[in-house]
Structure formats: C-alpha cells, structure tokens
C-alpha cells in the first residue's frame, strides 16, 4: 500500500468509493479484499500494476459508515493486511503555523487532552514537512501514522508538530454532530506562503514565477529556525522584507517558501485519496508577500486542488470539494499597516462573504475577534482555537452537509443610504445586529474633494437599531466615495467586535 495507509485508518464512506493504491511488481495482479470483524469477505477487487512507477489503484464499492474492517492486498505469495479500518468522512487540514499548532498549545489544553479518550472513532494522521522541486508520488516521511487519539503521544506531542488543534477540534465536533467516524489528515508547515502550496498551473494563472530551480537573489520570510522540520515559532519577518505587497513577485524565495515545493511533496502524493472536505488556515505569510495577488492565488488554489483530487481519485472526490478556511486573526495591536486587512478581503476574492460566485462551496471562520496579545507563541498565534473550530463546524454543516437550519455567516451590509442634510449614513445589514461596543475606528468613510484624492476618516456609530447602523459623517464634509469596516490589523478586542448577530457570529470586515 501507499505509505500512508495503516491500521486505525478511516476511508471515505458512501456515496463515494474509497480509493486504495500502492506499488507492486510491474505487470502483476494485485487482489484487495475487505473483510468484516468475523472474517467474512465483503468485497474483492483486482488491479494490475502499471506505469513507470509500478503502481496499482483500486476504487472500492461505496460503503456505509462503520467498522471495524480488515483490508488486505495480495500479490502472489506476498500480502499486507491493515486492521481496525473504519468508513466515515475524511477531511484534509492544511496551512501554516496556526494550523500546525497542537492541542497542547491551545486554551484549556489540559481539558482538551483529557477529553481525547472519548473520541476513539476520530482517527488522525500527520504528514511530515517535506519539500520537493518535482511532483512526488509518495510522501517522503510521516510524523504520525493513522492513530487513535491519545493525549500525550499524538495530540500533545509538542509545539507546532502534531496533532493540529484546529483540525482535531473540527473533526471532534463533526463526529459529535454527525455520529460518523472521522478521518483527519494534517499537512501543514509554519511560515509558508500560498505559492509553496500551489501547483505551477496556479502560479501561471496568476502571473507569478513558477521556476523553482533558477538561481537568483533570495528573500526569506522568517528566521532560520523556521526552516527546521519542527519549528518552534514561525512568524518572525526579517527587516529586509517590506511589510506590504510591494515585494516583487520576481524575487526568489528559499526553503519551504519556494513556489510549488509543498504542493509537490505534501499534496501531490495524496491526490488519489477520496476526501469529504478541506480545512485551510494560511495567509499570514502572504500579508508580507504578494498580498494583492492573493485575490487570484487563493481561488485558483481551491479550484486546482478540487480538479486534482477529483481526477486523482478516479472521480470519487466530488468536483466541488467543500473547502473551509479561517480568515486571518490578528498580529500587531497598534500597527498602521493594512496588509492583514487587505489579505482578509482577498481571502473572499474581494467579495466579503463566501460562498460566492468566484468561490463556490466554500465557508469561512471569521477570527479577527479572537486576538491573543499575550500568547506565549507570539500574538500571531492566538490560543483560542475552539471558537475557530466551532465556526468552521457551522460552515461545514451548512455547506458540506447541506444543513439549511444552520446559521454559519455573520451579518453583512446590503445597502448604505446617505442622509446628506443630517450628515448621516445608514448602513442596512442582512441580519439582526447585536452591538457589543462602539469603536470609533470600526467604520471609516472615504472622503474625496476631487477624484484623484481620497482620505479615510472615522465615521462614529450613532445608533444600532435592528438591522441598521447609523454613522455620523461630521468629519467628512465632501463627497463620500467609500465605506469600510474593521479595516485594521487588530480591529477588535477579544470576542468584542462592534457587531455580531444573535448567534454570536461577528460581522466580517468589508470594503
């Protein structure tokens, strides 16, 4: 079998068929049998070993959720048997250090670790960080083979190693909501930009350099410690990298930041897997690199991964594979830089909410109200991953599982009407509003005396009634051409953004 199959694994349940694959002697026939707990053979499939890499691939018949099963592959007199195999939903979790943060590092870690024993049907797997200049067929290394969750050995193994807290908390919540076994595959590396996770197709589509082998001047996004396989802290931008999108896309990145190297080594080997969904937490690196290209690279990566997993799984992974992501949280409280705000906006393809026309079948967890200034891992790594996972769960239930009764988005503006005589702007939202606090800088208007100049000025909140926010325009005595909300690197206090809906979901930023 491929190196990431093993005892305790979860394979995708129906309506899709799980895909199993491996290596063998060229031309030989491989027989795969699935047996129940009693040893009764439930399914038998055969495939021939083909291709220059000597691989075989088999699509199992769709299976109901449950187990345990034994899965055996035979070639001649040789055989390999995997035991305690379950069928359920398989989710891939990828991104940078906020995805790599382990359960050991989050708020209430001891309670979370102690609770792990109650979830033996949530199975976990972690690929080791690896990079390659060419697309690989197999993972080079594995940090955690398929395992039943235990506190010290695999959920609290160490800082930024395994297992991902966001991934675990989402998977555990999915199990509680669905009652189905859940398989979680972690593929993350701290300090890495989206370009490293993108195939050359994505880079080409977005006009970014794709040649990973050329020599040239290099820039490093992070201190050297972040190039280790198990970095401690992976967000320390060097002074020689401008904190804006002005960085030339034709400068060269090194190590795991190099274009496509993580796609090649960590995603491409998994493409045969049948998946139910993807969870993504990445973007901090791109607040300092190609920020305004994220409007292209992120939707393009989603579409490209979907095509690749659908093709690699012989059509078993659905074409619109549900894709959830975390909108950036916070970093520097008093920063005047707007790169985080721009990146949050670009995460939605500049449309503010998902799913949308450019990003169908996606869902987003807003996290700008979960800042953690005193995090021992740096403020870029907030410890509240429980709220992140809960918001992802709501999106997954609504988008991936079609639960129409789940509220998964915060309120978003539908219209803005000027009352010129009174100097007011009335902003109507899509949902009932709960006002937690009135932050003077939360809303800003773009005041223009002429078309070529524009100045953003605070628009204080006068009133919040039902679905409408009334803003004062006393500082703007000229033409109002724009409105934005929460456009800052650290726009909210902890769980205290200005606006929420009654279900406690924050209104996302907009421009």
């Amino acid at each position: 079998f491929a190196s990431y199959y093993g005892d305790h694994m979860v394979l995708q349940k129906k309506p899709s068929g799980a895909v199993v694959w491996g290596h063998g002697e060229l031309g030989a026939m491989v027989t795969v049998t699935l047996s129940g707990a009693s040893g009764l053979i439930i399914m038998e499939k055969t495939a021939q070993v083909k291709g220059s890499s000597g691989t075989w691939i088999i699509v199992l018949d769709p299976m109901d959720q449950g187990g345990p099963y034994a899965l055996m592959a035979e070639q001649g007199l040789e055989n390999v048997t995997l035991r305690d195999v379950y069928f359920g939903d398989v989710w891939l979790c990828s991104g940078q250090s906020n995805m790599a943060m382990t359960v050991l590092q989050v708020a209430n870690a001891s309670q979370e670790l102690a609770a792990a024993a109650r979830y033996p049907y949530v199975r976990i797997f972690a690929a080791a960080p690896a990079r390659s200049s060419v697309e690989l067929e197999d993972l080079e290394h594995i940090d955690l083979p398929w395992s039943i969750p235990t506190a010290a050995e695999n959920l609290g193994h160490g800082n930024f190693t395994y297992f991902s807290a966001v991934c675990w908390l989402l998977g555990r919540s999915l199990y509680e909501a669905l009652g189905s076994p859940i398989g979680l595959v972690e593929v993350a590396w701290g300090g890495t930009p989206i370009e490293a996770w993108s195939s050359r197709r994505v880079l080409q589509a977005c006009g970014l350099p794709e040649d990973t082998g050329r020599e040239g001047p290099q820039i490093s996004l992070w201190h050297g410690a972040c190039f280790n396989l198990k970095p401690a802290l992976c967000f320390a931008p060097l002074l020689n990298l401008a904190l804006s999108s002005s960085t030339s896309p034709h400068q060269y990145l090194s190590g795991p930041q190099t274009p496509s190297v993580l796609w090649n080594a960590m995603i491409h080997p998994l493409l045969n897997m049948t998946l139910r969904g993807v969870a993504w937490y990445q973007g901090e690196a791109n607040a300092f690199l190609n920020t305004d290209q994220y409007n292209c690279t992120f939707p393009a990566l989603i579409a490209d991964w979907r095509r690749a997993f659908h093709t690699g799984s012989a059509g078993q992974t659905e074409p619109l594979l549900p894709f959830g992501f975390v909108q950036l949280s916070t970093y520097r409280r008093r920063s005047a830089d707007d790169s985080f705000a721009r990146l949050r906006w670009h995460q939605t393809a500049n449309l503010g909410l998902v799913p949308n026309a450019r990003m169908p079948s996606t869902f987003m967890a807003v996290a700008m109200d979960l800042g953690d200034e005193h995090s021992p891992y740096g403020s870029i790594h907030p410890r509240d991953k429980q709220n992140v996972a809960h918001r992802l769960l709501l999106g997954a239930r609504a988008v991936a599982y079609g639960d129409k009764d789940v509220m998964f988005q915060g309120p978003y503006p539908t219209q803005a009407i000027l009352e010129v005589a009174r100097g007011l702007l009335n902003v109507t939202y899509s949902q009932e509003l709960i006002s937690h606090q009135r932050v003077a800088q939360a809303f800003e208007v773009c005041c223009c005396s002429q078309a070529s100049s524009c100045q953003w000025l605070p628009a204080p909140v006068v009133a919040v009634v039902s679905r409408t926010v009334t803003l004062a325009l006393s500082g703007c005595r000229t033409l109002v051409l724009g409105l934005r909300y929460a456009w800052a690197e650290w726009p909210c206090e902890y769980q205290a953004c200005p606006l929420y809906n009654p279900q406690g979901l924050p209104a996302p930023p907009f421009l």
Side-chain angles (χ1 to χ4, degrees), residues 96 98 235 280-288 291 294 325-331 338-348 364-371 380 382 388 391 486 488-491 509:
Q96 55 181 113
N98 268 304
F235 204 91
W280 173 261
Y281 197 157
Q282 190 278 335
E284 297 89 346
N286 288 98
F288 305 96
T291 305
Y294 209 87
F325 64 94
V326 184
Q327 195 176 46
L328 285 194
S329 183
T330 53
Y331 180 24
D338 75 341
S339 58
F340 264 55
R342 296 203 320 275
L343 200 289
R344 292 186 190 111
W345 185 239
H346 297 329
Q347 285 180 294
T348 68
M364 174 177 73
V366 175
M368 65 182 181
D369 61 332
L370 304 179
I380 197 72
V388 168
R391 292 170 185 178
E489 194 163 302
W490 197 301

Side-chain angles (χ1 to χ4, degrees), residues 154-486:
N154 51 38
L155 288 180
H157 180 266
N159 292 343
F160 301 100
T161 54
Y162 52 85
F163 189 75
S164 164
V166 169
C167 193
W168 165 253
L169 293 168
L170 172 62
R172 185 189 73 182
S173 300
L174 284 170
Y175 173 76
E176 290 174 338
L178 304 172
S180 170
I182 300 291
L184 301 173
V185 179
E186 178 192 342
V187 188
W189 195 336
T192 52
I194 195 170
E195 291 80 2
W197 296 100
S198 302
S199 73
R200 294 190 174 190
R201 295 181 296 272
V202 172
L203 301 174
Q204 286 175 338
C206 295
L208 294 172
E210 62 201 78
D211 189 345
T212 62
R214 292 175 57 187
E215 293 296 327
Q218 293 183 338
I219 55 174
S220 294
L221 291 179
W222 329 110
H223 286 304
C226 295
F227 297 115
N228 296 335
L229 291 185
K230 297 179 175 63
L233 290 177
C234 277
F235 204 91
L238 298 180
L239 295 178
N240 64 348
L241 183 60
L243 302 185
S244 73
S245 64
S246 61
T247 303
S248 167
H250 298 292
Q251 290 178 286
Y252 293 93
L253 296 168
S254 61
Q257 288 88 31
T258 307
S260 298
V261 293
L262 304 187
W263 158 267
N264 291 339
M266 301 180 73
I267 300 299
H268 192 268
L270 302 176
L271 293 182
N272 291 351
M273 266 189 178
T274 309
L275 297 179
R276 186 65 182 86
V278 174
W280 173 261
Y281 197 157
Q282 190 278 335
E284 297 89 346
N286 288 98
F288 305 96
L289 175 76
N290 297 333
T291 305
D292 293 325
Q293 282 76 27
Y294 209 87
N295 175 42
C296 178
T297 50
F298 189 37
L301 176 140
I302 295 172
D304 187 65
W305 281 26
R306 284 171 169 166
R307 284 191 296 266
F309 275 101
H310 179 69
T311 302
S313 66
Q316 297 306 304
T317 295
E318 61 182 280
L320 281 180
L321 173 67
F323 197 108
F325 64 94
V326 184
Q327 195 176 46
L328 285 194
S329 183
T330 53
Y331 180 24
R332 301 164 300 188
R333 178 183 286 273
R334 296 169 186 86
S335 173
D337 188 83
D338 75 341
S339 58
F340 264 55
R342 296 203 320 275
L343 200 289
R344 292 186 190 111
W345 185 239
H346 297 329
Q347 285 180 294
T348 68
N350 293 6
L351 292 170
L353 279 183
V354 298
N356 58 48
R358 288 189 61 198
M359 301 173 66
S361 196
T362 61
F363 53 95
M364 174 177 73
V366 175
M368 65 182 181
D369 61 332
L370 304 179
D372 187 358
E373 191 173 20
H374 303 294
S375 170
Y377 314 105
S379 60
I380 197 72
H381 300 118
R383 288 166 289 180
D384 182 354
K385 295 296 191 277
Q386 288 87 346
N387 270 303
V388 168
H390 175 67
R391 292 170 185 178
L392 283 175
L393 170 69
L394 296 178
R397 288 177 59 190
V399 174
Y401 294 97
D403 191 336
K404 304 300 183 185
D405 297 325
V406 173
M407 177 70 72
F408 70 103
Q409 297 171 318
Y412 200 73
T414 58
Q415 68 175 8
I417 299 177
L418 273 169
E419 291 188 54
V420 178
R422 300 177 63 196
L424 300 176
L425 178 63
N426 295 308
V427 184
T428 302
Y429 275 78
S430 59
Q431 302 171 26
E432 195 79 14
L433 297 172
I434 303 295
S435 178
H436 279 210
Q437 60 176 2
R438 294 178 182 177
V439 179
Q441 300 293 334
F443 287 93
E444 297 169 286
V445 288
C446 178
C447 297
C448 296
S449 57
Q450 54 188 358
S452 60
S453 63
C454 183
Q455 182 182 11
W456 288 100
L457 296 176
V461 175
V462 175
V464 179
V465 179
S466 185
R467 297 186 175 196
T468 301
V469 179
T470 300
L471 306 175
L473 302 177
S474 54
C476 184
R477 303 185 184 278
T478 54
L479 190 62
V480 176
L481 290 185
L483 172 68
R484 66 188 188 186
Y485 167 75

